[in-house]
C-alpha cells in the first residue's frame, strides 16, 4: 500500500501584514479591521457615541414613564385622601373643611341631612336599624355607609335586598356616587361588584329565600347591610349573615346595618328585635350580646322631599293603614293585614281569674326548628265568648319535652284539658316509631286531629273577631299576656297568591293554633243545660218495682 501524504498549504503575510500569501493561490487582502490605524479609532469613537445616545434615549423614555406612574400614584392618593374626610376632619369647623376642599381641589359628592341620616352614618353600634316613614333618605344612607372604610384594602361590604330586580335602583345610584367619592372605582356588572383603588370591595346580593344565605357560606365581610329588611319573613337569614361578619384587620370595625318601612312580611320580628327592645335612639344590648340601636325616620328629616309638600300630599292620599305606616312611620299597624278588624282595645283584655266551671280547650301547632305553640281557651257560658288565657310559644321542643311542658303549665287545672293537634304531628314520615301526636297522648293529653281547612278556619276567626250587636264584645278575647298571638293577629299579612288565606311565609304558629282551636267547635253549653243533659243520661232501671 502506498502512503499518501497530505498536502500542506502554507499561509504567509507581507511585511506590513496587509496581505495573505498562499502557496497555491493569488495574493488577497486580509479580512478584518486594520489594527492601530487612525481610521479604525474614529470608527470606534462613532460607534461608542451611537451606543451612548441610544442609552440616553432609553433613560429619557424610562424617566417619562416613571413620571407618568408617579402622577397616577399621586392621583390615586389624592382620591383616597382628599375626597374622603377623616373622622378628625369632620369635627373641625365648616370653614376649615371648605379650605381643605379648596386646597386639594376636591368637592362634596354627598352631604347627609342633619338628624337621623347623620346619626345613622355616625352610629358606633354593631347592629343598627334606620327605619320609619318613606322618603327619609334611608336608601342613600345605606349606599354611603359602607364607603367609610373603602380606603382600607381588607374592607369588604355586602349590600342586600330581597330579590335581584330590587337591586337595580341601588346599583344605579351607586354608579352616580361611588366614582365621585373614589376616583378609579370600577363596577363589574356580572359579579355586581365595585372594586376600589385601595383593593376594597362592595358587593350587591339578594336573599330571596332562606336557602340563599348559603351562597355566602365561607365568605367574610366587614360590613353587611340590608335595604328593606322587613321583606325577610324570618330572622334566620339576618342571623346567619351576622356569622359572616369578620375581618383580619384590627383597624376595621365590623357593622350590621339595615333600613325598613313599617309593614311587610317580616315586620313583627324586626319590631321585636329593634323597636320593642328599647326606646328609639338609645343604645341597648340584645340577647346575643350585640349592641343595637333603632333610629326612626320621618319625611320631615329629608328637606329635599318635604320642602314643596308634593310627596307628603301623595302619601296623604294612601289608604289609612299605608298612610300611617309610610307617612307617620307607625309600626303598630300592618300593611295588608289579614285581620284589619283586630283592635287591641277591643280584643285584648287584662287577665282575670276564670271560673273553674267554664269549659276549657287547647289548640297545638307543633314545630321543632320553628316554634311550637299551644293556646288555652275558656268558654264563657253566658255569651259563648272564647277567652284565650294562656300560651306556650317555644322552639326546640321534642314531643316528650312538649308533653312535659304542657303538663307543668296545666298543673293548677282541675282536670286535663282536651284539645286538637296539627295533623302533621300524627304523620309517619319514613319511620315506625311513635309520632308526636302519639307521644303527647301517651303522656296523658286528650288530643285529636285538627281540622286544617285554611279558608274555613280563617273565616271562623273573622266571625269571632266581629263585634256583635247588643253583646258588647266579640266572640274572641285574648289575655294581654298572650303576646305572640296578639302580635301575629296584628301583623300577619294576606297571601299574595290567595287573598282568602294568610301568607304562609310569615310567622303563623300562634295563628294556626288558634285556628285549630276554633275549628274544633268547642262545646258551649251553659252549666244549667249541661245538668239537664246529665239528668237525661241517668241510669234508668229496667224493673221499676225492684229498681234494677
Amino acid at each position: 500500500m502506498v502512503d499518501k501524504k497530505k498536502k500542506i498549504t502554507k499561509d504567509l503575510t507581507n511585511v506590513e501584514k496587509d496581505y495573505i500569501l498562499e502557496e497555491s493561490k493569488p495574493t488577497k487582502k486580509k479580512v478584518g479591521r486594520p489594527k492601530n490605524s487612525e481610521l479604525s479609532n474614529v470608527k470606534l469613537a462613532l460607534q461608542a457615541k451611537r451606543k451612548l445616545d441610544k442609552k440616553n434615549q432609553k433613560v429619557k423614555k424610562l424617566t417619562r414613564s416613571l413620571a407618568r406612574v408617579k402622577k397616577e400614584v399621586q392621583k390615586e392618593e389624592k382620591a383616597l385622601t382628599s375626597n374622603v374626610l377623616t373622622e378628625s376632619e369632620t369635627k373641625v369647623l365648616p370653614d376649615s373643611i371648605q379650605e381643605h376642599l379648596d386646597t386639594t381641589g376636591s368637592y362634596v359628592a354627598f352631604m347627609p341631612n342633619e338628624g337621623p341620616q347623620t346619626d345613622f352614618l355616625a352610629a358606633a353600634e354593631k347592629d343598627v336599624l334606620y327605619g320609619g316613614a318613606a322618603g327619609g333618605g334611608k336608601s342613600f344612607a345605606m349606599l354611603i355607609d359602607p364607603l367609610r372604610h373603602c380606603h382600607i384594602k381588607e374592607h369588604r361590604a355586602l349590600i342586600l335586598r330581597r330579590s335581584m330586580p330590587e337591586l337595580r335602583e341601588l346599583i344605579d345610584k351607586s354608579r352616580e356616587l361611588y366614582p365621585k367619592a373614589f376616583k378609579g372605582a370600577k363596577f363589574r356588572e356580572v359579579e355586581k361588584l365595585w372594586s376600589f383603588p385601595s383593593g376594597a370591595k362592595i358587593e350587591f346580593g339578594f336573599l330571596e329565600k332562606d336557602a340563599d344565605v348559603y351562597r355566602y357560606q365561607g365568605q367574610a365581610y366587614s360590613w353587611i347591610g340590608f335595604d328593606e329588611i322587613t321583606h325577610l319573613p324570618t330572622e334566620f337569614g339576618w342571623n346567619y349573615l351576622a356569622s359572616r361578619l369578620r375581618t383580619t384587620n384590627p383597624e376595621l370595625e365590623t357593622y350590621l346595618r339595615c333600613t325598613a318601612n313599617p309593614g311587610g312580611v317580616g315586620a313583627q320580628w324586626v319590631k321585636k328585635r329593634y323597636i320593642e327592645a328599647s326606646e328609639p335612639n338609645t343604645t341597648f344590648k340584645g340577647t346575643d350580646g350585640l349592641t343595637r340601636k333603632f333610629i326612626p325616620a320621618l319625611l320631615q328629616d329629608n328637606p329635599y322631599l318635604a320642602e314643596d309638600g308634593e310627596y307628603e300630599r301623595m302619601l296623604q292620599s294612601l289608604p289609612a293603614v299605608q298612610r300611617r305606616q309610610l307617612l307617620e312611620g307607625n309600626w303598630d299597624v300592618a300593611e295588608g293585614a289579614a285581620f284589619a278588624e283586630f283592635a287591641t282595645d277591643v280584643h285584648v283584655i287584662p287577665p282575670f281569674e276564670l271560673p273553674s266551671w267554664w269549659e276549657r280547650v287547647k289548640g297545638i301547632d307543633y314545630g321543632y326548628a320553628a316554634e311550637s305553640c299551644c293556646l288555652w281557651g275558656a268558654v264563657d257560658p253566658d255569651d259563648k265568648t272564647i277567652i284565650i288565657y294562656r300560651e306556650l310559644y317555644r322552639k326546640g321542643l321534642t314531643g316528650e319535652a312538649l308533653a312535659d311542658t304542657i303538663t307543668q303549665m296545666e298543673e293548677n287545672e282541675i282536670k286535663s284539658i282536651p284539645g286538637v293537634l296539627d295533623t302533621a304531628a300524627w304523620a309517619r314520615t319514613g319511620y315506625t316509631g311513635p309520632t308526636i301526636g302519639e307521644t303527647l297522648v301517651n303522656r296523658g293529653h286528650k288530643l285529636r286531629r285538627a281540622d286544617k281547612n285554611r279558608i274555613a278556619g280563617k273565616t271562623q276567626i273573622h266571625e269571632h273577631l266581629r263585634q256583635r250587636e247588643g253583646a258588647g264584645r266579640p266572640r274572641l278575647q285574648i289575655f294581654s299576656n298572650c303576646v305572640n298571638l296578639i302580635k301575629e293577629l296584628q301583623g300577619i299579612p294576606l297571601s299574595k297568591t290567595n287573598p282568602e288565606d294568610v301568607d304562609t311565609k310569615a310567622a303563623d304558629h300562634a295563628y294556626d293554633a288558634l285556628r285549630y282551636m276554633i275549628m274544633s267547635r268547642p262545646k258551649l253549653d251553659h252549666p244549667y243545660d249541661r245538668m239537664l243533659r246529665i239528668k237525661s243520661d241517668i241510669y234508668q232501671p229496667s224493673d221499676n218495682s225492684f229498681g234494677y
Side-chain angles (χ1 to χ4, degrees):
M1 176 178 289
V2 179
D3 292 336
K4 293 183 178 180
K5 293 183 179 179
K6 185 176 180 180
K7 183 178 180 181
I8 300 175
T9 302
K10 190 173 182 180
D11 296 336
L12 301 172
T13 58
N14 62 357
V15 178
E16 291 81 11
K17 296 183 179 181
D18 289 334
Y19 296 92
I20 297 175
L21 304 178
E22 282 189 21
E23 191 176 36
S24 60
K25 292 184 180 180
T27 303
K28 66 178 181 178
K29 190 170 182 175
K30 184 178 179 182
V31 178
R33 184 186 305 110
K35 293 182 178 180
N36 300 324
S37 67
E38 186 176 346
L39 181 62
S40 174
N41 292 335
V42 172
K43 287 183 178 180
L44 286 174
L46 291 174
Q47 290 177 356
K49 188 176 185 305
R50 283 195 294 267
K51 288 181 180 180
L52 183 60
D53 291 342
K54 287 182 179 180
K55 289 182 178 181
N56 286 333
Q57 291 177 0
K58 189 174 182 180
V59 169
K60 291 180 180 179
K61 185 176 180 181
L62 291 174
T63 302
R64 288 194 299 268
S65 299
L66 181 61
R68 185 170 60 253
V69 171
K70 285 183 178 180
K71 188 175 180 180
E72 291 176 358
V73 170
Q74 291 173 354
K75 185 177 180 181
E76 291 182 2
E77 288 178 348
K78 182 180 178 180
L80 290 175
T81 58
S82 300
N83 288 1
V84 179
L85 301 181
T86 64
E87 184 177 358
S88 60
E89 289 173 328
T90 59
K91 294 180 180 179
V92 300
L93 295 175
D95 291 342
S96 300
I97 295 178
Q98 187 61 51
E99 182 181 353
H100 171 79
L101 297 176
D102 294 339
T103 302
T104 58
S106 55
Y107 61 94
V108 177
F110 173 83
M111 181 176 291
N113 299 320
E114 293 184 4
Q117 194 177 66
T118 298
D119 295 340
F120 175 74
L121 295 173
E125 291 76 14
K126 181 72 68 176
D127 187 5
V128 178
L129 168 66
Y130 181 27
K138 299 184 294 296
S139 295
F140 265 95
M142 177 62 68
L143 285 172
I144 293 297
D145 196 61
L147 294 176
R148 65 168 75 193
H149 288 148
C150 278
H151 60 289
I152 300 176
K153 179 181 179 180
E154 292 82 5
H155 178 53
R156 189 175 181 190
L158 175 64
I159 300 177
L160 295 154
R161 285 213 61 168
R162 182 70 190 278
S163 64
M164 181 57 72
E166 293 172 333
L167 283 172
R168 181 50 53 191
E169 183 179 2
L170 287 177
I171 292 175
D172 290 344
K173 290 179 181 177
S174 73
R175 291 179 186 274
E176 299 175 11
L177 292 171
Y178 288 0
K180 295 178 180 179
F182 287 87
K183 301 297 183 183
K186 296 180 180 180
F187 183 68
R188 298 206 293 264
E189 182 68 35
V190 175
E191 296 96 334
K192 302 293 185 291
L193 183 72
W194 277 98
S195 297
F196 294 86
S198 65
K201 300 182 186 305
I202 295 180
E203 178 183 351
F204 289 90
F206 65 95
L207 206 64
E208 192 165 2
K209 52 185 181 295
D210 284 348
D212 289 336
V213 298
Y214 299 112
R215 294 191 294 107
Y216 305 102
Q217 189 172 10
Q219 302 295 319
Y221 299 96
S222 53
W223 188 99
I224 300 176
F226 202 108
D227 193 36
E228 301 297 346
I229 198 169
T230 52
H231 292 180
L232 286 181
T234 67
E235 200 172 3
F236 167 76
W238 194 227
N239 285 336
Y240 183 88
L241 287 170
S243 68
R244 307 298 93 200
L245 199 66
R246 60 183 185 271
T247 180
T248 57
N249 189 337
E251 297 181 1
L252 271 175
E253 292 288 341
T254 57
Y255 297 101
L256 286 172
R257 295 293 183 261
C258 53
T259 66
N261 293 321
V265 68
Q268 291 306 310
W269 75 259
V270 173
K271 182 180 177 183
K272 179 180 178 180
R273 180 182 178 112
Y274 295 101
I275 300 164
E276 294 179 343
S278 181
E279 294 295 322
N281 297 309
T282 303
T283 303
F284 65 95
K285 186 172 290 188
T287 56
D288 53 3
L290 299 181
T291 55
R292 291 195 173 93
K293 180 187 282 188
F294 165 57
I295 301 176
L298 293 174
L299 174 61
Q300 291 74 17
D301 300 326
N302 187 351
Y304 301 101
L305 282 178
E307 186 174 358
D308 60 1
E310 185 68 26
Y311 191 69
E312 183 176 0
R313 285 191 291 273
M314 186 195 71
L315 295 178
Q316 288 282 8
S317 65
L318 294 173
V321 172
Q322 287 79 9
R323 183 172 64 250
R324 293 181 64 189
Q325 289 175 338
L326 301 181
L327 181 59
E328 302 173 12
N330 192 317
W331 287 87
D332 293 327
V333 292
E335 179 183 3
F339 302 100
E341 68 271 39
F342 182 81
T344 54
D345 57 339
V346 175
H347 298 98
V348 179
I349 58 176
F352 62 90
E353 187 175 353
L354 298 170
S356 59
W357 63 84
W358 284 12
E359 286 289 340
R360 286 164 167 75
V361 66
K362 62 190 174 192
I364 306 174
D365 180 64
Y366 178 74
Y368 182 82
E371 286 80 3
S372 292
C373 181
C374 179
L375 299 178
W376 285 264
V379 182
D380 187 339
D382 291 332
D383 59 0
K384 299 179 173 48
T385 297
I386 300 178
I387 307 293
I388 307 298
Y389 64 94
R390 185 191 297 141
E391 74 172 7
L392 166 65
Y393 198 87
R394 195 179 304 169
K395 64 171 60 176
L397 292 175
T398 63
E400 293 183 357
L402 177 60
D404 293 340
T405 304
I406 293 175
T407 300
Q408 293 174 4
M409 298 181 73
E410 293 181 353
E411 185 177 2
N412 296 327
E413 300 286 356
I414 295 177
K415 61 177 182 178
S416 178
I417 300 175
V420 289
L421 174 66
D422 182 4
T423 56
W426 303 88
R428 297 185 183 277
T429 55
Y431 69 99
T432 58
T435 64
I436 300 298
E438 291 172 345
T439 300
L440 290 170
V441 170
N442 292 336
R443 291 298 184 100
H445 296 287
K446 299 177 182 179
L447 299 172
R448 55 190 174 90
R449 289 172 173 80
D451 184 344
K452 294 190 67 172
N453 189 312
R454 298 188 62 85
I455 306 304
K458 178 174 177 292
T459 303
Q460 282 299 312
I461 293 179
H462 282 297
E463 286 289 346
H464 283 71
L465 291 174
R466 182 175 58 86
Q467 286 189 277
R468 295 169 290 179
E469 296 182 4
R473 64 174 178 173
R475 291 174 57 191
L476 176 67
Q477 289 189 311
I478 306 168
F479 277 7
S480 57
N481 55 3
C482 301
V483 293
N484 293 289
L485 176 60
I486 294 171
K487 288 179 181 179
E488 289 189 11
L489 290 179
Q490 280 181 325
I492 192 167
L494 289 170
S495 170
K496 295 181 179 179
T497 57
N498 184 3
E500 298 300 325
D501 197 5
V502 301
D503 189 343
T504 57
K505 294 182 179 180
D508 60 355
H509 313 295
Y511 162 77
D512 285 340
L514 177 65
R515 180 165 55 89
Y516 300 155
M517 179 192 296
I518 292 179
M519 288 295 288
S520 70
R521 303 167 184 85
K523 295 179 180 179
L524 307 177
D525 292 345
H526 191 278
Y528 178 75
D529 297 331
R530 192 183 312 121
M531 291 298 296
L532 291 178
R533 188 177 69 253
I534 294 174
K535 185 177 181 180
S536 65
D537 293 338
I538 293 177
Y539 172 75
Q540 298 292 332
S542 58
D543 190 323
N544 292 329
S545 300
F546 292 94
Y548 61 86

